[in-house]
Amino acid sequence: MFGFKFIKKTASNIVISIFYYYLKYLLWIFNCREILTASETLRGASFNFNAFYKQHFYIDPKWLQWFIGFSEGDGALLKDKDGRISFILTQNESKILYHIKDILGFGNVTFDIKANTYRYKVLDNSSLFKLALLFNGNIFLSHRINQLSEWIKILNSKSYSIVFNSNKLTISLFDAWLSGFTDAEGCFNVSIYSEPRYKLGFKTRIRFILDQNDKLALCFIRGLLDTGYVSKRSGNLTTFRYTADGYSKLGQIFSYFDSFPLKTIKQQAFTKWSEIHSLILSKKHLNTNGLAKIRILAKLINDKSDINS
């Protein structure tokens, strides 16, 4: 009789799990159905830095790919009412902004006392011209392409000559764009919550998260990583969230960030997140010492996170 009850309960848990993942699959299909017909996204271009190199010294293409992804996430291609343009990156972490300034060889880093944050600013037209050449034809997000179009119109009115390239970039797992975008917009999250069905009464959930207003872009990334789902962010009318969780389907994510490491403090979070994943796969979360170690690592990760769960 006991064995029958155990089998019945186990079967019930399996059915619940299957239903849960089926719902997640339906959620992805519902939110990402546009990707099946968005041929303009699939016909995009690959990175081309020839025009930039003609006006600037050589910089490693992988670094430029990372920088473009980072800029699409955290950058601001601004135009004021007087027709002046500027480029600004805002970060709490000053080290990465000084790194960008050193690699590019132009721009300045300042501290905004009121906002309690750092900003990397490019204000002179000659440097903005180089950035426009770098971004032209190498941008993935549609709204950034529209901003660049306005930039180029203004630069051309000031005796520069740039032929605007409206083609959308096709990102892949063989370039560093997603690494840069993750440094700007990503989060490696760990949550430990009460779950009576588990041996110690707790379940550990690990998630890779990206937030963005462009749902189609997140769907494309979901297709690249071949795991996760895209949903509307709770309590936000315009922001969508890509979430990858589970223990056994994150292989593409680990492989990618091993090949294209993050450059901000999020690399430290990713390293600890990877360690937690390894502990879970080896069943260490099912004993007291292992769970205690996971709690310590999780706190170190989540304290650095700037994305709420």
Side-chain angles (χ1 to χ4, degrees):
M1 190 68 172
F2 176 78
F4 174 74
K5 287 183 178 179
F6 176 77
I7 292 171
K8 186 177 180 181
K9 185 176 181 181
T10 301
S12 176
N13 289 341
I14 292 173
V15 170
I16 292 172
S17 296
I18 293 172
F19 183 67
Y20 170 72
Y21 285 106
Y22 178 66
L23 286 178
K24 285 176 66 173
Y25 173 74
L26 289 179
L27 182 65
W28 173 71
I29 291 294
F30 176 77
N31 280 291
C32 295
R33 61 187 182 275
E34 295 98 328
I35 201 170
L36 301 176
T37 57
S39 57
E40 71 275 10
T41 299
L42 302 177
R43 290 201 306 263
S46 57
F47 287 100
N48 187 327
F49 301 132
N50 292 337
F52 174 75
Y53 287 143
K54 288 179 181 178
Q55 299 294 329
H56 199 58
F57 53 77
Y58 178 84
I59 297 174
D60 184 349
K62 288 184 179 180
W63 190 93
L64 292 176
Q65 294 163 6
W66 172 89
F67 172 71
I68 292 171
F70 189 70
S71 298
E72 291 208 61
D74 264 356
L77 284 69
L78 301 177
K79 178 187 74 170
D80 66 20
K81 62 182 180 180
D82 296 322
R84 291 187 294 265
I85 61 174
S86 59
F87 177 74
I88 297 177
L89 286 168
T90 302
Q91 275 279 312
N92 292 330
E93 182 184 344
S94 63
K95 184 178 178 180
I96 190 63
L97 299 183
Y98 282 108
H99 168 74
I100 289 170
K101 176 182 179 295
D102 290 344
I103 296 295
L104 288 177
F106 53 73
N108 289 291
V109 178
T110 61
F111 180 69
D112 187 328
I113 297 176
K114 291 183 179 180
N116 192 32
T117 192
Y118 292 88
R119 303 190 196 280
Y120 168 75
K121 298 180 180 180
V122 181
L123 305 176
D124 64 290
N125 285 334
S126 61
S127 298
L128 290 166
F129 169 62
K130 293 177 181 179
L131 284 179
L133 292 176
L134 175 62
F135 294 146
N136 195 27
N138 293 319
I139 291 182
F140 176 60
L141 300 179
S142 298
H143 72 281
R144 295 299 191 190
I145 294 175
N146 294 334
Q147 291 173 350
L148 179 64
S149 173
E150 294 301 310
W151 253 32
I152 288 177
K153 286 178 184 177
I154 291 173
L155 284 169
N156 286 343
S157 72
K158 299 178 182 297
S159 301
Y160 292 94
S161 180
I162 306 175
V163 178
F164 174 59
N165 184 348
S166 62
N167 288 335
K168 180 179 287 191
L169 174 77
T170 295
I171 62 171
S172 76
L173 298 183
F174 301 99
D175 63 60
W177 186 95
L178 182 57
S179 178
F181 189 71
T182 300
D183 265 325
E185 300 284 9
C187 172
F188 299 95
N189 179 266
V190 181
S191 57
I192 302 171
Y193 55 92
S194 178
E195 177 51 77
R197 292 187 299 117
Y198 283 75
K199 181 179 178 181
L200 298 180
F202 295 94
K203 182 177 180 180
T204 302
R205 185 187 185 193
I206 63 173
R207 294 182 296 167
F208 171 54
I209 297 170
L210 293 169
D211 283 349
Q212 179 60 215
N213 292 344
D214 190 334
K215 180 172 72 171
L216 186 59
L218 293 181
C219 288
F220 190 88
I221 292 170
R222 190 268 165 220
L224 285 180
L225 295 173
D226 195 28
T227 189
Y229 55 94
V230 175
S231 58
K232 200 72 172 287
R233 184 167 178 185
S234 177
N236 194 303
L237 297 177
T238 61
T239 303
F240 293 87
R241 169 167 286 185
Y242 166 71
T243 304
D245 55 11
Y247 303 146
S248 61
K249 297 183 178 181
L250 302 176
Q252 288 274 44
I253 294 173
F254 289 110
S255 296
Y256 176 79
F257 288 113
D258 285 341
S259 298
F260 298 97
L262 299 156
K263 297 184 185 299
T264 68
I265 199 170
K266 290 179 184 178
Q267 176 61 31
Q268 297 176 25
F270 173 70
T271 299
K272 294 177 177 64
W273 193 74
S274 301
E275 188 175 348
I276 290 175
H277 180 257
S278 296
L279 288 169
I280 292 171
L281 288 185
S282 59
K283 308 295 184 182
K284 297 293 177 58
H285 64 303
L286 300 179
N287 66 65
T288 304
N289 290 337
L291 184 60
K293 185 173 184 180
I294 288 173
R295 287 186 184 279
I296 293 170
L297 292 170
K299 188 177 190 309
L300 292 172
I301 293 170
N302 295 337
D303 282 353
K304 300 297 183 183
S305 173
D306 57 1
I307 295 182
N308 297 322
S309 59

